[in-house]
Amino acid sequence: MLARRIIPCLDVRDGRVVKGVRFRDHEDVGDILELARRYRRQGADELVFYDITASPERRRVDRNWVNRVAAVLDIPFCVAGGIRSVEDAEEVLNLGADKISVNTPALADPGLIDRLSARFGAQCVVIGMDSRLEDGEWQVYFNTGNPELTEAARRRTLDWVDEVQSRGAGEIVLNCMSMDGVRRGYDIEQLTAVRERCRVPLIASGGAGTPEHFVDVFRDARVDGALAASVFHRKLIDIPDLKRHLRAEGIHVRTGGVA
Amino acid sequence: MAGRVALVDTGGANIASLDFALRRLGHETVLTHDAEAIRAARHVIMPGVGAASDAMARLKAHGLEAVIPTLEQPVLGICLGMQLLFDGSDEGDVECLGLLPGRARRFADDPSFPVPQMGWNELERVGDHPLLRGVHDGDFAYFIHSYALPVTDCTLAAATYGMAFSAVVGRGNFLGTQFHPERSGAVGARILGNFLRL
């Protein structure tokens, strides 16, 4: 049986892992390789590295850290942020990433999803979405890495979920913006609505604060994986403890990993 | 090139993770579509990311569809590389190498089982083979695929995702894993190590 995935997300800026609250006030939380190794040892099922500054500032980023991560990790990892073209994606995949995740550039040019999927296969192509309730509907947002540039994409989230799948997305990461960084639980209502539209794997993001929040999101929203950052970086939740708790609650997770 | 592990260039990106995994096990690799380099290698690995039809077209462009079946050293297909060893694939409706019987078919459209299958699934051993030395029922491996092979008499380990499918296969010197051993933690490293000792 396929296990539900626990996915620490490492926000990377200038080669360091950082974390902010609601996308603001980033603070340094550690070295990329050190954290990657620690999470792998603890039994993380996958890692996401998100370059939080690359996309809004439209700069060319030094991605050699991707190669260093690939050299030490023997679990899958995904790279997000600043991937705007087939060439960008090819560079990151050739450096050793297993998947690439695209958010704002896919909203700006939805055909990018088709091109990425045709070139690398749907299994490599993750679409990230930042979504929150606006005028009674869930809507997706652009440029969420930088609060000054964030704006509504004028797309309903559920429509975008349909569209990215038809264009060849292999996985969707739904970041529920109003819950992000505040540790009050995942947005079960929104994730459940997206789950009903989603025939590819769905990853929940934003809001994890306690082990119970993970139980809720797997049991009630039936997501394939749950992504979290601050609770892991700040050691508020220990991954082996979390997996023991999930197993006790009847959620199927991968064994392995040490404290 | 003798002694090195030849990685058959099937045209996909993302060879780095496999390359690193083999280096961690102390093996040099060469990524190649050159028939002589492949024949000379002690072990041959056929990776594969992308579509079956593209990968077969690439093999044919270099005459490798005739070379690979004549190889006598251990050959390991990984993910799509494993599927290429079989008769054919519904992905692009393509005939493959025909070294193993069966045809890759897409997972059924079932809301309970999103496609691609992406993540860690448990192995169920159904055969005894040196490739699986030290691998146990219930060990997890990392899968990422939309097409799968049924369980047949060349299946060495199965897994279940809505249906049972082949996770590890083998007949003679042609072996394959549907999962990515290079991304399957200690279990994957063990399987790669076993392969390199064959």
Side-chain angles (χ1 to χ4, degrees):
Chain A
M1 197 161 95
L2 190 68
R4 306 286 170 175
R5 285 176 272 159
I6 301 296
I7 308 171
C9 177
L10 295 82
D11 289 356
V12 173
R13 192 170 64 178
D14 302 327
R16 299 283 296 176
V17 180
V18 298
K19 182 58 193 169
V21 173
R22 297 196 192 215
F23 300 96
R24 293 168 192 268
D25 305 325
H26 298 109
E27 65 179 89
D28 191 293
V29 293
D31 173 70
I32 297 175
L33 293 185
E34 201 176 298
L35 281 164
R37 282 201 191 92
R38 195 219 303 168
Y39 291 132
R40 180 256 175 228
R41 195 170 62 244
Q42 291 188 338
D45 298 304
E46 183 173 323
L47 298 177
V48 172
F49 296 89
Y50 178 29
D51 190 322
I52 57 167
T53 50
S55 197
E57 292 169 18
R58 301 194 66 82
R59 68 189 166 113
R60 190 84 195 152
V61 288
D62 172 9
R63 295 201 180 93
N64 283 326
W65 58 267
V66 175
N67 203 236
R68 295 197 295 276
V69 168
V72 303
L73 274 189
D74 58 5
I75 60 169
F77 71 98
C78 177
V79 172
I83 295 163
R84 299 184 197 95
S85 64
V86 169
E87 292 70 32
D88 289 342
E90 184 155 34
E91 181 198 1
V92 168
L93 293 170
N94 281 335
L95 287 170
D98 298 278
K99 301 188 275 191
I100 46 101
S101 180
V102 181
N103 186 331
T104 294
L107 285 164
D109 170 19
L112 177 61
I113 303 169
D114 304 69
R115 299 196 297 279
L116 291 170
S117 190
R119 173 69 183 85
F120 306 112
Q123 76 287 339
C124 286
V125 182
V126 181
I127 298 300
M129 301 181 185
D130 291 295
S131 171
R132 71 175 183 220
L133 211 53
E134 185 74 40
D135 302 329
E137 288 189 308
W138 290 297
Q139 297 198 20
V140 283
Y141 283 75
F142 274 121
N143 288 330
T144 47
N146 183 334
E148 276 75 57
L149 298 177
T150 300
E151 59 174 310
R154 304 193 181 287
R155 278 177 185 274
R156 298 194 315 166
T157 303
L158 295 178
D159 293 343
W160 186 228
V161 166
D162 291 342
E163 182 172 345
V164 304
Q165 291 180 88
S166 69
R167 289 182 179 276
E171 184 168 73
I172 292 174
V173 176
L174 186 74
N175 185 50
C176 303
M177 294 168 74
S178 55
M179 308 305 273
D180 189 65
V182 296
R183 302 192 204 117
R184 290 203 307 255
Y186 290 96
D187 186 340
I188 301 294
E189 188 186 352
Q190 183 174 185
L191 285 158
T192 302
V194 169
R195 169 82 288 174
E196 280 169 14
R197 302 285 275 265
C198 191
R199 294 298 184 96
V200 299
L202 175 64
I203 308 300
S205 166
T210 68
E212 217 47 46
H213 294 154
F214 288 85
V215 175
D216 294 342
V217 80
F218 286 127
R219 182 177 288 161
D220 298 337
R222 294 174 290 113
V223 296
D224 300 280
L227 183 147
S230 67
V231 289
F232 296 138
H233 301 329
R234 293 174 201 279
K235 302 184 181 175
L236 302 175
I237 294 180
D238 172 74
I239 294 172
D241 285 346
L242 172 61
K243 287 194 163 182
R244 272 191 289 276
H245 183 74
L246 289 167
R247 267 195 296 281
E249 295 290 329
I251 311 273
H252 189 59
V253 289
R254 179 175 70 112
T255 50
V258 292
Chain B
M1 296 299 167
R4 286 193 186 183
V5 180
L7 303 180
V8 179
D9 185 0
T10 50
N14 197 8
I15 300 301
S17 56
L18 179 59
D19 193 43
F20 280 126
L22 295 166
R23 284 170 198 274
R24 285 195 293 268
L25 293 167
H27 287 258
E28 291 290 304
T29 64
V30 57
L31 177 65
T32 182
H33 47 64
D34 177 70
E36 285 316 305
I38 292 169
R39 282 201 191 94
R42 175 78 182 78
H43 293 87
V44 174
I45 297 184
M46 195 156 61
V49 170
S53 45
D54 293 349
M56 275 310 295
R58 181 134 177 132
L59 290 181
K60 284 182 179 166
H62 298 288
L64 296 179
E65 89 285 6
V67 172
I68 290 166
T70 67
L71 296 177
E72 294 179 354
Q73 66 271 54
V75 176
L76 180 71
I78 294 177
C79 197
L80 172 64
M82 177 195 105
Q83 297 184 2
L84 298 181
L85 297 174
F86 283 81
D87 290 329
S89 173
D90 282 0
E91 185 182 24
D93 193 22
V94 66
E95 300 310 306
C96 296
L97 295 170
L99 296 164
L100 298 172
R103 193 171 180 85
R105 298 196 188 282
R106 195 175 162 86
F107 282 116
D109 185 25
D110 177 341
S112 302
F113 298 97
V115 179
Q117 169 176 226
M118 207 182 276
W120 298 78
N121 204 334
E122 289 159 290
L123 302 178
E124 305 150 29
R125 292 190 54 155
V126 295
D128 197 23
H129 193 282
L131 186 64
L132 295 178
R133 193 175 293 134
V135 177
H136 304 100
D137 276 342
D139 281 350
F140 284 87
Y142 182 76
F143 292 83
I144 178 164
H145 61 126
S146 300
Y147 291 76
L149 271 302
V151 175
T152 64
D153 61 3
C154 70
T155 303
L156 302 174
T160 305
Y161 191 64
M163 60 169 198
F165 65 93
S166 281
V168 183
V169 296
R171 176 174 282 179
N173 60 318
F174 293 99
L175 303 159
T177 63
Q178 180 61 69
F179 54 86
H180 285 270
E182 74 278 16
R183 283 289 179 251
S184 294
V187 172
R190 182 176 291 272
I191 290 168
L192 283 177
N194 288 344
F195 172 71
L196 294 167
R197 280 190 291 275
L198 291 176

